[in-house]
Amino acid sequence: MTAESVKEQADRVYRFMTAGRYREWGMDIDHWDWVPGVGVISIMEYGILTRHEPAIAYVSDWVERNGEKAARKRVINSMAPFAVFPDLYRHSGNRSYDEQSSAVARWMLEEAPRTREGAFEHTVTEPASFPEQVWADTAFMAVVFLARFAGLSGDRKVAEEALAQSLVHLRLLQDDDTGVLFHGWDCGSGNHMSAARWTRANAWVALAIPEIAMNIGGLVEIPEEFRERYGRLAAGLRSYQSADGLWHTVLDRPGFYKETSGSAGIACGFLKGVRAGLLEASYLQAGARTVEGLLPFITSEGEVTSVSGGTPVMPSIEAYNTIPLIPTLYGQGLTLMLLAETASLLSGKERSERK
């Protein structure tokens, strides 16, 4: 596995994402919600890490096309696309990205609905309500933006909120016995509902925490609890990794199907965790094993297969195994982030070896 071969796979995944499959729910990139949000976040990371300027231009054009849709319904789940704004500002110097980020951060700190524990309540654009519920998804969909904006602006108050949200999500969702996370927590009933250790839920947090740490580390002190909880999460996840590098759609159900988006997100979290100084270097091997395991699930056109469709907290653990497999921007995106992170890592290693 070389940097060039991994980048070729990333290029293929990127082209599939941007080919205009707007009639498919999972691949409709031209609206403002979490699904296209994950898509453009990953495209931006791919552009930056592999120095692919057309990808960065694509994200800028996407915001120009879709930005007005952001104000139609402000909910936690639709905050995801704003995570590209700090990097777009750094890249272009366009003050509107900074100004809009500031307004969104104020909304999160002052108006976004919260549970009794202070966690952001899981709110969505669909006609559905989850009062007093905390979902793992929020760490990636909303808290990553806060951390990135804090890193850009130097706003300590925003950094403190990003840290507080990270900790409250870890405290409410982490399983004391295994270290991994449950999908959700109901603050009203005081339980984890179906108590599923769902793989993609773990992926969102595994990926978000290093990103948050890298962006706020210069503004607030990262407490030992933050590091300890993330370390236990990573160790628990590695213990469930299959020999081929993937994870089953529910971590502790080996009879359930293997799921690529969650697997890619966890592995990318491992690589970022090492880069952030939260994990030891041995996690790089676990991430590399996932890359190798994912390659057979990427078609010649660049479609990432074996991706589970949108998944709420299900009524039972068994119900997670009934979620259909469909092409999605988040499946493409989580895979693209892993490939871009891997290509960047290998490029650095190859340059070092040539010296």
Side-chain angles (χ1 to χ4, degrees):
M1 188 165 59
T2 65
E4 188 57 34
S5 66
V6 174
K7 186 178 181 301
E8 287 175 3
Q9 292 286 348
D11 294 344
R12 189 176 293 120
V13 171
Y14 163 70
R15 288 195 297 271
F16 191 87
M17 294 176 75
T18 56
R21 294 172 172 81
Y22 304 127
R23 293 182 181 178
E24 303 171 23
W25 171 83
M27 292 300 296
D28 181 4
I29 202 165
D30 270 333
H31 63 114
W32 195 279
D33 206 348
W34 71 276
V35 174
V38 177
V40 294
I41 289 169
S42 65
I43 291 170
M44 192 71 186
E45 288 207 16
Y46 159 73
I48 292 170
L49 288 172
T50 67
R51 300 178 183 178
H52 189 76
E53 288 294 325
I56 297 172
Y58 178 90
V59 175
S60 178
D61 292 344
W62 181 88
V63 173
E64 184 69 24
R65 290 197 312 271
N66 295 287
E68 65 176 14
K69 302 170 186 175
R72 293 179 184 175
K73 188 171 184 180
R74 189 159 279 184
V75 295
I76 281 296
N77 235 20
S78 69
M79 296 295 102
F82 288 111
V84 303
F85 279 38
D87 280 330
L88 285 173
Y89 174 67
R90 291 188 183 96
H91 197 79
S92 68
N94 185 336
R95 293 290 303 175
S96 69
Y97 294 123
D98 182 48
E99 292 163 359
Q100 290 181 72
S101 294
S102 180
V104 171
R106 284 198 309 273
W107 177 82
M108 284 196 198
L109 267 62
E110 299 170 7
E111 300 180 47
R114 297 171 185 255
T115 69
R116 64 195 68 186
E117 290 95 344
F120 290 141
E121 184 181 283
H122 184 74
T123 51
V124 298
T125 55
E126 297 90 348
S129 175
F130 306 98
E132 288 285 327
Q133 288 190 18
V134 179
W135 291 19
D137 314 44
T138 298
F140 189 86
M141 305 309 165
V143 186
V144 165
F145 161 74
L146 281 180
R148 288 183 175 183
F149 178 63
L152 172 69
S153 65
D155 191 318
R156 184 179 175 86
K157 186 175 181 181
V158 175
E160 289 171 345
E161 185 64 41
L163 176 60
Q165 288 297 325
S166 300
L167 284 171
V168 74
H169 277 76
L170 286 169
R171 289 167 184 162
L172 293 175
L173 298 174
Q174 192 158 37
D175 176 19
D176 291 336
D177 293 332
T178 64
V180 301
L181 308 178
F182 296 106
H183 188 175
W185 169 260
D186 189 312
C187 301
S189 58
N191 61 45
H192 292 105
M193 296 173 277
S194 59
R197 299 174 182 89
W198 182 47
T199 291
R200 195 161 62 231
N202 281 265
W204 295 130
V205 178
L207 188 55
I209 292 296
E211 180 84 22
I212 292 162
M214 287 188 283
N215 278 281
I216 68 173
L219 297 170
V220 295
E221 182 178 349
I222 304 295
E224 183 57 33
E225 181 189 359
F226 182 99
R227 300 175 183 278
E228 188 270 337
R229 284 187 179 277
Y230 188 70
R232 284 200 295 121
L233 168 60
L237 290 172
R238 188 163 61 173
S239 74
Y240 286 115
Q241 188 177 27
S242 298
D244 63 0
L246 303 185
W247 283 265
H248 298 270
T249 195
V250 175
L251 293 168
D252 55 348
R253 292 300 182 99
F256 287 13
Y257 63 77
K258 290 177 181 175
E259 205 277 327
T260 53
S261 71
S263 297
I266 291 170
C268 190
F270 285 173
L271 302 190
K272 286 179 178 285
V274 174
R275 183 152 62 91
L278 297 174
L279 299 176
E280 60 185 34
S282 64
Y283 281 89
L284 298 178
Q285 284 75 48
R289 197 157 76 246
T290 304
V291 175
E292 296 281 7
L294 280 172
L295 294 181
F297 292 93
I298 302 174
T299 69
S300 59
E301 290 185 334
E303 177 187 340
V304 179
T305 62
S306 198
V307 176
S308 61
T311 307
V313 177
M314 299 298 284
S316 68
I317 293 174
E318 287 68 26
Y320 284 83
N321 202 37
T322 68
I323 299 295
L325 301 173
I326 60 172
T328 70
L329 288 165
Y330 53 82
Q332 299 289 129
L334 290 166
T335 303
L336 182 62
M337 280 190 273
L338 173 60
L339 294 173
E341 192 78 31
T342 301
S344 177
L345 180 68
L346 292 173
S347 292
K349 182 179 179 183
E350 290 167 5
R351 284 194 298 270
S352 177
E353 289 173 347
R354 287 195 294 268
K355 288 182 180 177

